[in-house]
Amino acid sequence: MGRPNHRTRQKRHRPTLRRRLKQGRNKGRKPLGSNFHSQIILVIDAKDLYYFYFPLNYFIKVGDMDVKSILKTKLNSILNPDFDKAYIRGFFYLGASFIGLPTIFAMASVFYIESSAVSFFAEINNSPSLVSISIGLFCLVVSLYLYLVNKGVFHKKLNGIENRSSKNHINYFEGGFVSKEVGKRVVLDKKDRLLVLSEVVEKSPSIIKLTITRFSKNGELDSSFGTSGKVILDFDSDNTQVGHIMSNENCEFFVAAHSVLNENFQILVCKLNENGQFDTLYGDKGVVRLSVNEGNAYANHAYLQSDDSVFTVGHQFSLKSLVVTKFDSTGQLDKNFGVNGISIISKTSDHDWGVAVAVSIITPMNRLLVLFNSGHNSSIVCLNNDGEIYNKFGSNGFVELNSFLETKHMMRATSIALLNDGRILVSGYGNQGVLLCLKADGSLDLTFAQGGIAIIRGYHRTELQKVIVARDGKIFVAGNQSDGNSIMEGLITALNNDGSVYTDFGEKGYLYLKGNTKQRVTDIVAINKSNLIVLVEQDVMSYGYETTFLCTVSI
């Protein structure tokens, strides 16, 4: 019988890996995987180095990488952590050290080397200290937790409100609102105190009253205001619904609203002093009541000028027209505006009558901008100081906003604001949130966002309720996003004054507020360069059972 050649001998004396494992068990050694930690097989083959992690049954090529690089690379591939954060990196390395080093020192390996072979395997039989393993695991868990918090995975939740971004700190104002009290407007006075105008449902959904709640600048109820920080406005009517709340230089404030008594509408304007008492020198003991055309008009919004004169904007039913009124600082109708203080903008062939939703002033010309909706159209009309239409604005004084939009983005307007350079911002929504930017003459500002139009898209259908301009020129729009069913979340978006998204705010410019029930942001105000005040309505669509939250959001 001839001597077997080298290839035959090599094949005969190189048993398979499975056979080697079986031989190890037959010799009484512990099989791989018998310890509480995993066994490791090292296979050296030419220039490449591999290791086999037994319970997971896969090979990882590591080349010339050391143990620290292996651990860091593997964890990065799973979690993609931010190792630039020193505290995350510190806990990670500490945990890896407590687990890795004792494990290496505890190794007692048995090697099997075959002649003429280029491989070996090692069986690890000893176990490191359970104490060091426990400490190491704790450090790794801490590093993982800090990483997830840094990435915003754990939402910050405050009394029903969650913040999906850890960048923006949210501070919830404790108390102040009762069940069925729905905040509609918020304003800041000259002492940085917050006044919230709310609607309260009493007895049944058909009875609505107004309340004013004041918070100090540190978020506590102001006990010096009204009764324990709250004033209830009772106008002896069946219903009273919110228009607007405004504060002057002396921390006095005005409320515009409308009431319903025996199916007749009245426009209401009242003035209160700093402690929440009616100013008896204003109107009739602090209240002005106005019926237009036999009680068929109401006020949706208002604007306070520096001389304490008040504009209200609303709708007149029987005439199917916009109604704009002006009251002087004593509460009397200004005879120099419109007809005896009332300007009625009637339906024309080009501009259907509508419902006014917001009003602002173009300075320094002191012209009035009235934003209104009519059917599926939204428009702005510009008025002079005397209440007459300013024909040089837009087309004969009107700008039809939907003429700038594609059909899929047709909007229902909700609010108006002015940039520091006089440009006009209008928020609204259609299939998505829409923000338009107009020049002072009513033409579209093509340098803003995408041709004068910024489309605001959340994860779901987005509705914008309010736009404001902060003191540093940043633009904030707020509202909600909804899937049309169970999901409705508050939403705030930040933009630069050129319409680009301000990505340092929230999640790439978007901040989501989520609670246990449907929510939406009804109003926001900037208190300084660092914080926003956010008014959140909860339990939306549960008429008569809504609640209100007030919080600050860092910018």
Side-chain angles (χ1 to χ4, degrees):
M1 180 183 294
R3 184 178 179 179
N5 60 28
H6 176 73
R7 182 181 301 275
T8 305
R9 184 172 64 252
Q10 188 179 38
K11 182 176 181 179
R12 178 183 301 169
H13 295 286
R14 291 187 63 185
T16 64
L17 179 62
R18 180 176 297 179
R19 185 175 300 173
R20 294 187 184 201
L21 297 177
K22 183 176 180 181
Q23 290 173 352
R25 286 196 298 270
N26 291 339
K27 294 180 180 180
R29 298 182 181 90
K30 294 180 180 179
L32 295 178
S34 62
N35 291 322
F36 79 94
H37 61 286
S38 300
Q39 308 302 316
I40 300 176
I41 295 175
L42 299 177
V43 181
I44 298 176
D45 186 5
K47 297 181 180 180
D48 294 330
L49 174 66
Y50 296 81
Y51 74 86
F52 173 52
Y53 190 56
F54 185 75
L56 299 180
N57 291 319
Y58 61 82
F59 284 85
I60 301 174
K61 181 177 180 180
V62 297
D64 296 327
M65 296 173 65
D66 57 14
V67 174
K68 184 180 76 171
S69 299
I70 294 170
L71 292 174
K72 182 175 177 179
T73 302
K74 192 57 193 167
L75 185 59
N76 182 70
S77 67
I78 298 173
L79 299 177
N80 189 28
D82 185 0
F83 280 100
D84 292 333
K85 300 291 184 181
Y87 52 87
I88 299 176
R89 185 173 62 246
F91 275 104
F92 172 76
Y93 287 155
L94 189 61
S97 299
F98 270 104
I99 294 176
L101 294 178
T103 301
I104 294 174
F105 294 149
M107 287 182 178
S109 304
V110 179
F111 297 88
Y112 294 91
I113 303 175
E114 200 74 39
S115 62
S116 72
V118 290
S119 64
F120 71 94
F121 74 89
E123 185 176 334
I124 302 171
N125 293 309
N126 294 338
S127 301
S129 169
L130 287 175
V131 175
S132 64
I133 289 291
S134 301
I135 296 175
L137 288 175
F138 173 80
C139 292
L140 290 179
V141 169
V142 171
S143 69
L144 176 60
Y145 172 78
L146 292 175
Y147 163 72
L148 294 176
V149 169
N150 184 59
K151 291 296 183 182
V153 175
F154 296 124
H155 304 167
K156 187 176 181 68
K157 186 170 183 179
L158 294 165
N159 292 325
I161 299 178
E162 288 185 29
N163 174 18
R164 286 187 177 177
S165 173
S166 60
K167 288 183 181 179
N168 304 96
H169 178 68
I170 292 182
N171 180 37
Y172 173 76
F173 285 30
E174 293 289 346
F177 302 103
V178 299
S179 176
K180 304 180 183 180
E181 185 175 13
V182 184
K184 296 296 185 180
R185 300 284 188 268
V186 59
V187 68
L188 192 71
D189 71 10
K190 292 302 178 180
K191 295 182 180 179
D192 288 338
R193 295 171 300 191
L194 292 164
L195 294 161
V196 179
L197 181 62
S198 306
E199 294 178 352
V200 180
V201 178
E202 296 182 355
K203 297 182 180 179
S204 70
S206 63
I207 306 299
I208 302 175
K209 304 294 184 182
L210 299 186
T211 64
I212 303 171
T213 309
R214 190 164 76 186
F215 295 87
S216 64
K217 58 184 177 181
N218 62 2
E220 297 178 353
L221 274 174
D222 186 352
S223 59
S224 66
F225 180 77
T227 302
S228 300
K230 192 179 295 289
V231 170
I232 299 176
L233 301 178
D234 190 352
F235 298 107
D236 297 323
S237 61
D238 297 333
N239 279 323
T240 305
Q241 295 184 336
V242 164
H244 201 48
I245 185 170
M246 305 148 287
S247 180
N248 66 11
E249 294 291 331
N250 300 321
C251 292
E252 301 167 320
F253 56 97
F254 298 77
V255 173
H258 59 269
S259 65
V260 183
L261 181 61
N262 298 325
E263 297 183 357
N264 290 320
F265 284 80
Q266 285 185 324
I267 296 173
L268 298 176
V269 178
C270 64
K271 181 181 180 181
L272 294 90
N273 57 32
E274 188 174 354
N275 62 9
Q277 302 296 318
F278 282 105
D279 182 351
T280 56
L281 299 179
Y282 186 84
D284 182 12
K285 298 180 180 180
V287 182
V288 173
R289 304 170 191 267
L290 176 64
S291 295
V292 179
N293 194 33
E294 300 179 354
N296 287 310
Y298 61 87
N300 276 337
H301 208 268
Y303 185 88
L304 177 66
Q305 286 191 299
S306 58
D307 62 357
D308 283 355
S309 58
V310 176
F311 291 95
T312 71
V313 294
H315 172 65
Q316 210 287 333
F317 289 103
S318 59
L319 297 179
K320 296 184 177 180
S321 304
L322 297 177
V323 174
V324 183
T325 66
K326 183 180 181 182
F327 299 92
D328 63 23
S329 59
T330 66
Q332 303 300 313
L333 285 169
D334 186 341
K335 305 299 183 181
N336 297 318
F337 182 83
V339 179
N340 295 323
I342 303 172
S343 178
I344 296 177
I345 305 169
S346 301
K347 173 182 176 181
T348 68
S349 58
D350 296 324
H351 306 284
D352 194 7
W353 63 275
V355 178
V357 294
V359 60
S360 188
I361 293 288
I362 297 180
T363 56
M365 294 83 73
N366 272 347
R367 295 192 179 97
L368 197 67
L369 293 175
V370 181
L371 179 66
F372 65 96
N373 294 312
S374 56
H376 296 290
N377 296 316
S378 296
S379 303
I380 300 175
V381 61
C382 184
L383 305 179
N384 288 313
N385 273 331
D386 58 3
E388 296 296 323
I389 294 175
Y390 178 60
N391 290 320
K392 293 183 180 180
F393 179 81
S395 175
N396 296 320
F398 289 84
V399 171
E400 292 186 356
L401 301 175
N402 283 326
S403 65
F404 301 129
L405 301 170
E406 300 177 6
T407 303
K408 63 180 180 180
H409 293 311
M410 299 295 276
M411 67 182 287
R412 180 176 181 81
T414 55
S415 71
I416 189 170
L418 298 180
L419 287 165
N420 298 331
D421 57 9
R423 289 178 296 165
I424 305 163
L425 296 172
V426 180
S427 67
Y429 60 89
N431 292 329
Q432 293 293 343
V434 179
L435 183 66
L436 296 179
C437 184
L438 310 180
K439 297 179 181 178
D441 62 0
S443 62
L444 198 62
D445 179 10
L446 300 179
T447 66
F448 182 86
Q450 301 296 318
I453 304 168
I455 302 300
I456 310 299
R457 293 184 177 92
Y459 295 112
H460 305 288
R461 181 176 181 267
T462 302
E463 297 181 358
L464 302 181
Q465 302 294 337
K466 186 67 178 290
V467 57
I468 66 168
V469 179
R471 298 177 188 179
D472 63 352
K474 291 287 189 303
I475 301 167
F476 293 90
V477 288
N480 62 272
Q481 62 165 359
S482 172
D483 66 350
N485 296 305
S486 60
I487 297 176
M488 181 179 285
E489 301 175 353
L491 170 66
I492 305 173
T493 304
L495 299 95
N496 298 304
N497 60 13
D498 62 356
S500 61
V501 176
Y502 178 54
T503 55
D504 287 342
F505 179 81
E507 296 179 9
K508 299 181 180 179
Y510 288 74
L511 182 69
Y512 302 93
L513 301 175
K514 180 181 179 181
N516 298 324
T517 60
K518 295 183 178 181
Q519 297 189 13
R520 65 182 170 197
V521 177
T522 56
D523 205 359
I524 55 174
V525 62
I527 57 177
N528 50 45
K529 291 183 178 180
S530 302
N531 291 284
L532 296 173
I533 293 295
V534 182
L535 190 63
V536 181
E537 178 184 349
Q538 184 162 285
D539 293 325
V540 180
M541 307 304 292
S542 301
Y543 186 73
Y545 298 94
E546 300 96 328
T547 55
T548 298
F549 295 101
L550 188 67
C551 59
T552 60
V553 174
S554 63
I555 299 175

